[in-house]
Amino acid sequence: MLIYILMLIIVLAAIAYVCWNYLNIMKMDEGTENMIDLAATIRSGARTFVKTEFKTVAVVVVILAIILSLFIEKTAGLTFIIGALMSSFVCIMGMRSATYANVRTANKARETKSIGETVKVALCGGSISGLAVQAFGMLGLILLLLIWGVDHESVGGGFLTKIQGVNASLMRISTYSLGCSLVAMFNRVAGGNYTKAADISSDILAKLRHDMPEDDSRVPNVIADFIGDNVNDIAGNCSDLLESFVATMAASIMIAVSIFNDPAFPIAEGYYNAMTRFPILLAGLGLLGCLLGLGYAQFKKMSDNPSKELDLATWISAGITVVLGFFAALIMFAGKGSVAELKNAGFKLGFISPWICAVLGIASGVLIGIITEYYTSTDYKPTKELAEMATEGEAFVITKGDAIGSRSCLIPILLIGIALFVSGLVCGTYGIAIAALGMLAFVGATVSIDAFGPIADNAGGIAEACHLDPDVRVITDKLDAVGNTTAAIGKGFAIGSAAFATVSLIVAYVENCNFGDLSKIALDFADYVVVAGGIIGGALVEYFSAMLTDNTIESAKLMADEGDKQLTPEVLAGEKTPDYNRMIELAAKQALKKMLVPSVLAMVIPVIGGFLFGVDFVGGLLIGATIVAIPRAIFMGNSGGAFDNAKKYIESGALEGHGKGSAAHKAAVTGDTVGDTRKDVVGVALDIFIKTMSTVANTLVSVFRNITLIR
Amino acid sequence: MLIYILMLIIVLAAIAYVCWNYLNIMKMDEGTENMIDLAATIRSGARTFVKTEFKTVAVVVVILAIILSLFIEKTAGLTFIIGALMSSFVCIMGMRSATYANVRTANKARETKSIGETVKVALCGGSISGLAVQAFGMLGLILLLLIWGVDHESVGGGFLTKIQGVNASLMRISTYSLGCSLVAMFNRVAGGNYTKAADISSDILAKLRHDMPEDDSRVPNVIADFIGDNVNDIAGNCSDLLESFVATMAASIMIAVSIFNDPAFPIAEGYYNAMTRFPILLAGLGLLGCLLGLGYAQFKKMSDNPSKELDLATWISAGITVVLGFFAALIMFAGKGSVAELKNAGFKLGFISPWICAVLGIASGVLIGIITEYYTSTDYKPTKELAEMATEGEAFVITKGDAIGSRSCLIPILLIGIALFVSGLVCGTYGIAIAALGMLAFVGATVSIDAFGPIADNAGGIAEACHLDPDVRVITDKLDAVGNTTAAIGKGFAIGSAAFATVSLIVAYVENCNFGDLSKIALDFADYVVVAGGIIGGALVEYFSAMLTDNTIESAKLMADEGDKQLTPEVLAGEKTPDYNRMIELAAKQALKKMLVPSVLAMVIPVIGGFLFGVDFVGGLLIGATIVAIPRAIFMGNSGGAFDNAKKYIESGALEGHGKGSAAHKAAVTGDTVGDTRKDVVGVALDIFIKTMSTVANTLVSVFRNITLIR
């Protein structure tokens, strides 16, 4: 109890800091009338979209909550709703603050002409999203634990049915996570479609069809594009990372319960309590680290090197998490029982074991970020080579980009593999979950830095669209460049953490399968059921990718054609404003139309698979989907990032003789457009696809065990 | 014994038929002097390349054979060499016959102006490859079984070491398969690089840089392109399918031995004999079916609808295999012991069980072919839509092609999954291997039809390059179109059968792990070692793809630049022949230079992984690699096929207002170039990558069990 309450205090402190930042942002000046108008349009467009989206989401949430409470566990409907609410609230808050911060960032650049001051505004906006993700993710879970606790024997049941082996405690935790997952799924799928349909269509109109600069205010799709950044890169990203964070905490607790319940390896009640509470403690101390790291960046005098300042904030957050994590392990595990009992729990190196896992998770998170930067930044060989390849035409650019994407999978996955291997070696299955949680324990900082990107991007867009001074644009461009790199790193981190989260969910799934008196399962790949599940799981990832890709190009085509109609000679001459709202509505309509099927797919597949072919089949599905989705997501993110930056490299004039408008530039634009769908639609949705499937499976595993039609 | 001898007779009959066909082809007229010269150049280029390649291969084979004999099992070096020899011999024979048949096909069209007669020549050439694959694959194995038999207790050892749990019988079978695998690996990697570097570079020169028709004889790279078709699509394909075929026979026998050795489920010696011999019987009867099917096509009067005729040959072969397979199961398994014992072996439905599995394999093989055709032929929606998307420019074509590739994975993999599931349900692990073998039991027919494609393609190229009558070109174009479809189907079949073969190899691997008195392993995905192996295995597939892709575009760029230098004004005016040999040498040099690293990678990874982290880790690697490689290979094959045919669709004028030379056509050419590397280099190499890794692991599993450094 004491730990929960202490952590609750940290959470509330973080929420207070978030609110204070929010008010600070609100107080700032929005700038010229033009800027105020544009910002208002962006804000209202984003709000309208999210409001409409959440109406659909609410219906789905309520229906599922009723089903959960009726059939699975009475309280599960409620915890499911709490999860969905937390996630929705964070999204809305992140998006609102970003749509306030973007114009104020532009204005600060206009007023002060200082990079440092401008960075502070964007970072202040970003930190609202980041800290909210971690604070609200914890808030719901702590409340749930304070009210109901974690009882390893708690047997539950729905209002209508009583299913053998349902543990109400675990069911509450996993439905809480499921609520977060559901919102994230809808957000990512709809947001991806929205933002890329708008972005690709305005690129086509501006660069290919009418030879205008990017973000030109004559292009009717351009405001929808600004909105899209907030919808996907802020709201989508917040809910995605919140989901990963909550899922890993949930998985750690579920695994702890299963370990305690294994009669073959008895452990003391003291260890049980420590193991179920340590995840919350670690996450809370990580939040404290983020508060300090971000607070430091915000209160110190900021230099003109934003990259360095942002890195420093991350390092401080991660460093504090590492140091405090050690004391957390010491306090929780040292001397609470015999060494033999710790060994029974899988701790090979005594109380320090979970801390080692957490550090491994943190280290691999940071390293994956660095590798991602290597493969996608114009400072390094791969992207430079890609830009040079553009001189050979479109086909070579695409093929080279494919090769870069594929090649970039190896080291991040090796890092994850090594971290998993060592964690398992040092601390058993619990260690795997703690490593995942370690990676996510400073998620507040990473999301803050990540959210900096779209805010800076939007600020630049506003500066361009409102024809601000060129030296303002120089500042926002600098921020945008930094933001691009942080976004790429953020994607790497999101994928890495999703991979980790999913693996720990799969481990929890297997442990859950064995809960109670039912026979143990092993996800044995020599078993035909598991093999069949595995390869089908892999195919589903490809199918899901195909659906999202097709939907995006369909919407983009529609929007480009519609936008073209509005580019009348008067609009082109700048004598008339195009009908931005028409395009904003179209983007939203398309995104919402295309949202339901892919999102529901991820939820329905494990359910059907489980009822038809049982737990082993679903286990195979999860593994197959995860093993395929991890490299695919990295491929999509990094090839997309490299394409994007190779184009920017050429535009910056770094490739002698092949500047803007050259054949090489056209080829690079093609690459960028191909990469847009990959990195911002498919790649980011794949994480949430595997996490959602796993969370659904974890929730329903006790049902499948009892009811399986075939086999 | 009797069964082996009977099957040997069928094999010898097939070889006799192959020789007779070979002589028949040789006797035919080669046509005009121009044609004779060109054919001789192609032939000598192909021979030189293969000769040089096989010199390197021979060195590797001898070194490995020595290691195997010294350390693993005395006789294993010999059987390894036999496998490599069989595979090499089939490649050389296939390639020689194809390089004789291509010019004769062109000449037959010139002389007779009859489609039916021309098809017969190409099919006769193709059937040499196809029947040789099946006959020689069986020949080596039958000889090996006749000499040494399959002893379930046979304990072996190398000249220098004696490793616990090595079964000499199984080691011979698996090293035989490994020999085939090694040759296939080198062939695919080198062949892919050769053919696509030549193809892409001549496309760039002809279509993009100098606006000439494809296959124009002024392009210096064009002869290298013709050679490439033989090197990759004939030699590479033959060794690939031979490998799959041998590996599934080997896996079936290995699994049968393990089942017999499991003391928990005793079965009679009679069943053991039946289970080890049934695979050979099924394969032999399949070969008989192919002989009859292909013979029928060759001796009947051929209509002018080649598609129908080729389909009929496949159907006859498959049909006979199904019917005879039933009697094989009846003879081998009916009444050889008690029903309970059959149940112990996993046969749930009595003697008919393995037959059901074989039929499932055959049916899914045929269905996968049909699905592949749907996604890649211009007769159906996907490719038509792709062609229409070309009007929107390069980026949309690529993105749409990506979506088609990803979407096309689902149904083939579902089919494989269902076949695996039902086979496992009906006939246990043995059933999975038999289903795989069923799919490959009429491999002679599928390879024959597949080899028809490159022969027809080459014939068309020769007709174009030698400026034959336009009505000759009409005939060869028709054959080429049919050949394109059969090639796409063949790729689908190759991938499907590789997937099946690999799964049965993994099952055999697990069974092999448990051979002897050592503790049982289960490839449990809740185990951190297996998980780490799994995700790393997936990443390796991406890395392997990246290496091959990079190598190909590097070689293609080099060849395009070199070719461009030779396109002097005189050559362009047709006053001087370009230096074809310079390009042929360059293609060969590049291919051989780029061959070693990727090929060796596939062999070395499981070895290093096994010694460092043990059998579970390697098991994880195999599963991860397989689950990722199956959809990736389908994606590569089908997106590439769809790109190719979308381009052809536009060239045929089917897209109104967007003919040859239009912007849409340029976009489609870009797609085709991107697809070239995918379908002919990466996709086809991925099958062999996973098969080689699995075969290596199977060979060395008994060593890993005894020596593992970490863990």
Side-chain angles (χ1 to χ4, degrees):
Chain A
M1 279 296 257
L2 179 67
I3 298 239
Y4 294 151
I5 289 169
L6 284 174
M7 293 306 109
L8 189 59
I9 291 169
I10 295 179
V11 166
L12 294 175
I15 292 176
Y17 183 68
V18 163
C19 293
W20 184 73
N21 267 339
Y22 195 87
L23 293 176
N24 265 342
I25 288 277
M26 293 290 287
K27 271 191 294 192
M28 291 177 194
D29 201 15
E30 286 201 313
T32 67
E33 204 168 309
N34 245 346
M35 290 165 79
I36 296 174
D37 281 355
L38 181 54
T41 313
I42 295 175
R43 202 148 45 228
S44 93
R47 271 191 212 169
T48 314
F49 172 67
V50 170
K51 215 185 275 171
T52 327
E53 182 197 338
F54 278 8
K55 271 185 201 153
T56 310
V57 175
V59 173
V60 178
V61 166
V62 170
I63 294 173
L64 289 182
I66 293 171
I67 295 175
L68 287 171
S69 280
L70 286 182
F71 296 101
I72 315 282
E73 155 57 34
K74 297 182 203 77
T75 51
L78 181 61
T79 47
F80 176 69
I81 290 176
I82 296 176
L85 279 179
M86 289 295 157
S87 180
S88 309
F89 185 71
V90 169
C91 290
I92 292 169
M93 186 158 191
M95 219 185 57
R96 286 184 80 123
S97 61
T99 52
Y100 285 118
N102 54 9
V103 62
R104 287 158 172 87
T105 304
N107 188 48
K108 186 65 91 184
R110 190 178 70 100
E111 283 176 351
T112 64
K113 306 276 158 75
S114 145
I115 293 182
E117 289 298 308
T118 312
V119 165
K120 270 197 181 181
V121 182
L123 183 60
C124 178
S127 73
I128 297 174
S129 299
L131 291 172
V133 163
Q134 189 156 1
F136 285 98
M138 287 188 72
L139 180 65
L141 189 56
I142 292 179
L143 289 179
L144 196 149
L145 294 171
L146 278 173
I147 299 171
W148 287 290
V150 193
D151 188 346
H152 56 86
E153 280 178 332
S154 139
V155 172
F159 285 110
L160 294 183
T161 55
K162 200 159 167 61
I163 296 163
Q164 199 194 353
V166 168
N167 175 314
S169 289
L170 297 190
M171 195 50 78
R172 281 187 285 268
I173 295 172
S174 92
T175 48
Y176 174 69
S177 170
L178 186 62
C180 302
S181 197
L182 186 98
V183 172
M185 188 78 210
F186 278 105
N187 255 338
R188 273 300 195 199
V189 173
N193 194 292
Y194 189 115
T195 188
K196 285 301 120 176
D199 183 13
I200 294 173
S201 63
S202 69
D203 276 3
I204 291 174
L205 287 178
K207 294 187 196 164
L208 294 181
R209 295 199 191 161
H210 296 280
D211 207 18
M212 294 188 278
E214 203 175 338
D215 292 348
D216 191 293
S217 58
R218 288 170 294 174
V219 178
N221 306 25
V222 77
I223 310 288
D225 184 13
F226 294 161
I227 296 173
D229 287 341
N230 293 295
V231 162
N232 195 44
D233 298 351
I234 302 276
N237 197 46
C238 284
S239 53
D240 188 356
L241 270 301
L242 181 124
E243 201 308 271
S244 285
F245 176 58
V246 168
T248 43
M249 288 192 291
S252 320
I253 298 173
M254 288 193 270
I255 292 171
V257 173
S258 300
I259 289 174
F260 183 73
N261 278 333
D262 188 346
F265 299 98
I267 57 170
E269 187 94 16
Y271 281 132
Y272 169 70
N273 289 334
M275 283 170 78
T276 52
R277 284 166 200 170
F278 181 71
I280 304 293
L281 182 57
L282 184 63
L285 295 174
L287 178 56
L288 186 62
C290 294
L291 262 176
L292 297 173
L294 292 168
Y296 174 77
Q298 221 163 320
F299 286 106
K300 68 168 289 202
K301 197 179 143 31
M302 189 142 304
S303 77
D304 278 0
N305 186 345
S307 230
K308 213 189 78 194
E309 301 288 350
L310 298 179
D311 281 351
L312 187 66
T314 314
W315 283 108
I316 293 176
S317 312
I320 294 174
T321 311
V322 169
V323 173
L324 295 182
F326 175 81
F327 292 104
L330 180 73
I331 295 164
M332 298 302 280
F333 294 106
K336 291 279 166 68
S338 71
V339 176
E341 278 191 326
L342 261 190
K343 281 240 164 82
N344 276 345
F347 290 44
K348 296 256 171 60
L349 300 178
F351 79 87
I352 212 176
S353 313
W355 179 71
I356 293 175
C357 302
V359 172
L360 277 170
I362 294 170
S364 43
V366 172
L367 287 172
I368 288 173
I370 293 172
I371 302 295
T372 309
E373 193 183 348
Y374 171 75
Y375 278 106
T376 57
S377 151
T378 48
D379 292 341
Y380 301 98
K381 209 176 117 200
T383 303
K384 281 184 189 165
E385 280 185 355
L386 184 61
E388 276 159 30
M389 206 47 102
T391 59
E392 298 288 329
E394 278 81 2
F396 275 84
V397 174
I398 302 294
T399 307
K400 181 72 193 172
D402 282 358
I404 290 175
S406 291
R407 199 177 279 269
S408 72
C409 298
L410 188 66
I411 300 178
I413 292 181
L414 274 181
L415 286 170
I416 297 174
I418 292 167
L420 279 173
F421 187 89
V422 179
S423 302
L425 203 63
V426 166
C427 198
T429 48
Y430 185 68
I432 291 178
I434 293 298
L437 185 54
M439 198 174 191
L440 285 152
F442 60 112
V443 69
T446 49
V447 174
S448 300
I449 308 290
D450 201 9
F452 169 90
I455 293 175
D457 188 7
N458 251 242
I462 292 172
E464 168 103 24
C466 297
H467 309 292
L468 297 189
D469 251 20
D471 45 345
V472 174
R473 185 73 211 194
V474 166
I475 296 175
T476 55
D477 272 357
K478 183 144 195 183
L479 263 67
D480 189 20
V482 175
N484 268 321
T485 311
T486 60
I489 296 174
K491 280 195 187 93
F493 183 82
I495 293 159
S497 60
F500 248 118
T502 312
V503 170
S504 60
L505 286 171
I506 293 174
V507 173
Y509 175 83
V510 176
E511 301 277 1
N512 276 336
C513 286
N514 299 330
F515 187 83
D517 298 331
L518 288 153
S519 65
K520 286 233 163 203
I521 77 148
L523 282 181
D524 184 354
F525 257 81
D527 179 355
Y528 61 90
V529 183
V530 183
V531 174
I535 61 167
I536 291 173
L540 289 173
V541 171
E542 294 279 355
Y543 192 76
F544 181 74
S545 309
M547 275 200 294
L548 297 187
T549 309
D550 270 336
N551 287 347
T552 308
I553 50 175
E554 214 174 284
S555 300
K557 223 178 129 200
L558 207 73
M559 283 190 68
D561 293 342
E562 181 61 33
D564 222 354
K565 278 187 212 152
Q566 296 190 30
L567 274 171
T568 55
E570 288 153 304
V571 171
L572 281 171
E575 290 156 5
K576 202 184 133 188
T577 337
D579 186 355
Y580 297 125
N581 284 323
R582 170 90 193 83
M583 302 316 295
I584 295 171
E585 278 162 27
L586 187 62
K589 206 182 103 193
Q590 277 299 112
L592 295 170
K593 199 171 113 188
K594 302 289 187 189
M595 168 180 77
L596 213 60
V597 177
S599 306
V600 169
L601 186 74
M603 279 174 280
V604 165
I605 288 166
V607 179
I608 296 177
F611 280 121
L612 283 181
F613 306 111
V615 287
D616 312 84
F617 180 79
V618 175
L621 269 187
L622 299 184
I623 293 160
T626 305
I627 287 179
V628 174
I630 297 173
R632 281 290 86 202
I634 298 178
F635 169 90
M636 298 285 174
N638 290 354
S639 68
F643 279 135
D644 189 355
N645 284 328
K647 180 200 70 177
K648 293 212 168 91
Y649 186 76
I650 291 179
E651 285 175 353
S652 77
L655 205 66
E656 224 165 294
H658 303 276
K660 246 182 167 167
S662 66
H665 182 236
K666 288 234 160 185
V669 170
T670 298
D672 180 39
T673 311
V674 170
D676 270 340
T677 312
R678 288 189 184 170
K679 73 180 185 336
D680 291 319
V681 181
V682 182
V684 291
L686 285 179
D687 331 332
I688 186 75
F689 181 70
I690 51 174
K691 283 186 291 173
T692 304
M693 289 221 318
S694 310
T695 309
V696 171
N698 256 311
T699 309
L700 294 180
V701 58
S702 31
V703 186
F704 304 152
R705 281 188 314 174
N706 293 283
I707 308 157
T708 300
L709 292 180
I710 300 174
R711 218 199 173 183
Chain B
M1 279 297 259
L2 180 67
I3 298 244
Y4 294 150
I5 289 168
L6 283 175
M7 293 306 111
L8 190 59
I9 291 169
I10 295 179
V11 165
L12 294 175
I15 292 175
Y17 184 68
V18 163
C19 294
W20 184 74
N21 267 338
Y22 194 88
L23 294 175
N24 264 341
I25 288 277
M26 294 290 287
K27 271 190 296 191
M28 290 178 195
D29 201 14
E30 287 200 313
T32 67
E33 204 167 311
N34 246 344
M35 291 166 76
I36 297 175
D37 282 354
L38 180 55
T41 313
I42 296 175
R43 202 148 44 227
S44 92
R47 270 192 212 169
T48 314
F49 173 67
V50 170
K51 215 185 276 172
T52 328
E53 182 198 337
F54 278 9
K55 270 185 201 151
T56 311
V57 175
V59 174
V60 178
V61 166
V62 169
I63 294 173
L64 290 181
I66 293 171
I67 295 175
L68 287 171
S69 281
L70 287 181
F71 296 102
I72 315 280
E73 154 57 35
K74 297 181 203 77
T75 50
L78 180 61
T79 48
F80 176 69
I81 289 175
I82 296 176
L85 280 178
M86 289 296 158
S87 181
S88 309
F89 186 72
V90 168
C91 289
I92 292 168
M93 186 153 188
M95 218 183 58
R96 287 184 79 123
S97 62
T99 51
Y100 285 118
N102 54 8
V103 60
R104 286 159 174 86
T105 303
N107 188 47
K108 187 62 91 180
R110 192 178 70 99
E111 282 178 352
T112 64
K113 306 276 158 73
S114 145
I115 294 181
E117 289 296 308
T118 313
V119 166
K120 271 197 178 179
V121 181
L123 183 61
C124 177
S127 72
I128 296 174
S129 300
L131 291 172
V133 163
Q134 188 155 1
F136 285 97
M138 289 189 70
L139 179 65
L141 189 57
I142 293 179
L143 289 179
L144 196 150
L145 294 172
L146 277 172
I147 299 171
W148 286 291
V150 192
D151 188 345
H152 55 86
E153 281 178 330
S154 140
V155 174
F159 284 111
L160 296 182
T161 56
K162 198 159 168 61
I163 296 163
Q164 199 194 350
V166 168
N167 175 315
S169 289
L170 296 190
M171 195 51 78
R172 282 188 283 268
I173 294 172
S174 93
T175 47
Y176 174 69
S177 170
L178 185 62
C180 302
S181 198
L182 185 98
V183 172
M185 188 78 208
F186 278 104
N187 255 338
R188 272 301 196 199
V189 174
N193 193 292
Y194 189 113
T195 187
K196 286 300 121 175
D199 184 13
I200 295 173
S201 63
S202 67
D203 275 2
I204 291 174
L205 289 178
K207 293 188 197 165
L208 294 181
R209 296 199 190 161
H210 296 279
D211 206 19
M212 295 189 277
E214 204 176 336
D215 293 348
D216 191 294
S217 59
R218 287 169 296 174
V219 177
N221 307 23
V222 77
I223 309 289
D225 185 13
F226 294 162
I227 295 173
D229 287 340
N230 294 295
V231 163
N232 195 42
D233 298 351
I234 302 279
N237 197 46
C238 283
S239 53
D240 187 355
L241 271 298
L242 180 125
E243 203 304 276
S244 285
F245 176 59
V246 168
T248 43
M249 288 192 292
S252 321
I253 297 173
M254 289 193 271
I255 292 172
V257 172
S258 301
I259 289 174
F260 182 74
N261 278 335
D262 189 346
F265 298 98
I267 57 170
E269 186 93 17
Y271 280 132
Y272 169 70
N273 289 333
M275 282 170 80
T276 51
R277 284 167 200 168
F278 181 71
I280 304 293
L281 181 57
L282 183 64
L285 295 174
L287 178 56
L288 186 61
C290 294
L291 263 176
L292 297 173
L294 292 168
Y296 175 77
Q298 221 163 321
F299 286 105
K300 68 169 288 204
K301 197 179 144 30
M302 193 145 296
S303 77
D304 278 359
N305 185 346
S307 234
K308 214 189 77 192
E309 301 287 351
L310 297 179
D311 282 352
L312 187 66
T314 314
W315 284 109
I316 294 176
S317 311
I320 293 175
T321 311
V322 169
V323 173
L324 294 182
F326 175 82
F327 292 105
L330 180 74
I331 295 165
M332 298 303 280
F333 295 105
K336 291 278 167 67
S338 71
V339 177
E341 279 191 325
L342 260 191
K343 281 240 165 78
N344 276 346
F347 291 44
K348 296 257 172 58
L349 301 177
F351 79 87
I352 212 176
S353 311
W355 179 72
I356 293 174
C357 301
V359 172
L360 276 170
I362 294 170
S364 44
V366 172
L367 287 171
I368 288 173
I370 293 172
I371 302 295
T372 309
E373 193 183 349
Y374 171 76
Y375 279 105
T376 57
S377 151
T378 48
D379 292 340
Y380 302 97
K381 209 177 118 202
T383 303
K384 281 184 188 166
E385 279 185 357
L386 184 61
E388 275 159 30
M389 206 48 101
T391 59
E392 298 288 328
E394 277 82 0
F396 275 83
V397 174
I398 301 294
T399 308
K400 181 71 192 171
D402 283 359
I404 290 176
S406 290
R407 200 176 277 269
S408 71
C409 298
L410 189 65
I411 300 177
I413 292 180
L414 274 182
L415 287 170
I416 297 173
I418 292 168
L420 280 173
F421 188 89
V422 179
S423 302
L425 202 64
V426 166
C427 198
T429 48
Y430 184 69
I432 291 178
I434 294 299
L437 185 54
M439 198 174 190
L440 284 152
F442 60 111
V443 68
T446 50
V447 173
S448 300
I449 308 291
D450 201 8
F452 169 90
I455 294 174
D457 188 9
N458 251 242
I462 292 172
E464 169 103 23
C466 297
H467 309 291
L468 297 189
D469 250 19
D471 47 344
V472 173
R473 185 73 212 195
V474 167
I475 296 176
T476 55
D477 272 356
K478 182 142 197 184
L479 262 69
D480 190 18
V482 175
N484 268 321
T485 311
T486 60
I489 297 174
K491 276 189 190 100
F493 183 83
I495 293 158
S497 60
F500 249 118
T502 314
V503 170
S504 61
L505 285 171
I506 292 175
V507 173
Y509 175 83
V510 176
E511 302 276 1
N512 275 337
C513 286
N514 300 330
F515 186 84
D517 298 330
L518 289 152
S519 64
K520 285 232 162 200
I521 76 149
L523 283 181
D524 184 354
F525 257 80
D527 180 356
Y528 61 90
V529 184
V530 183
V531 175
I535 60 167
I536 292 173
L540 291 172
V541 171
E542 294 279 356
Y543 192 76
F544 181 75
S545 307
M547 276 200 294
L548 297 188
T549 308
D550 270 337
N551 288 347
T552 307
I553 51 175
E554 213 174 285
S555 301
K557 223 178 129 202
L558 207 75
M559 282 188 69
D561 293 343
E562 180 62 33
D564 222 354
K565 278 188 212 152
Q566 295 190 31
L567 273 172
T568 54
E570 288 153 303
V571 171
L572 280 171
E575 290 158 4
K576 204 184 133 189
T577 337
D579 186 355
Y580 298 125
N581 284 322
R582 170 89 195 82
M583 303 316 296
I584 295 171
E585 278 161 28
L586 187 62
K589 206 182 104 194
Q590 278 298 111
L592 296 170
K593 199 171 113 190
K594 302 288 187 188
M595 167 181 78
L596 213 60
V597 178
S599 307
V600 169
L601 187 75
M603 278 174 279
V604 165
I605 289 166
V607 178
I608 296 176
F611 281 120
L612 283 182
F613 307 111
V615 286
D616 312 85
F617 180 79
V618 174
L621 270 186
L622 300 184
I623 293 160
T626 306
I627 287 180
V628 174
I630 297 173
R632 282 289 87 202
I634 298 177
F635 169 90
M636 299 284 173
N638 290 354
S639 68
F643 281 135
D644 189 354
N645 284 329
K647 180 200 69 177
K648 293 213 167 93
Y649 186 75
I650 290 178
E651 286 176 352
S652 78
L655 205 66
E656 225 166 290
H658 304 274
K660 246 182 168 167
S662 65
H665 181 236
K666 287 232 162 185
V669 170
T670 298
D672 179 40
T673 311
V674 170
D676 269 341
T677 312
R678 289 190 183 169
K679 72 180 185 337
D680 291 320
V681 181
V682 181
V684 291
L686 285 179
D687 334 329
I688 187 76
F689 180 70
I690 52 174
K691 283 186 292 171
T692 303
M693 289 221 316
S694 310
T695 308
V696 171
N698 257 310
T699 308
L700 294 180
V701 58
S702 31
V703 186
F704 304 152
R705 281 188 313 173
N706 292 283
I707 308 157
T708 300
L709 292 182
I710 301 174
R711 219 201 173 182

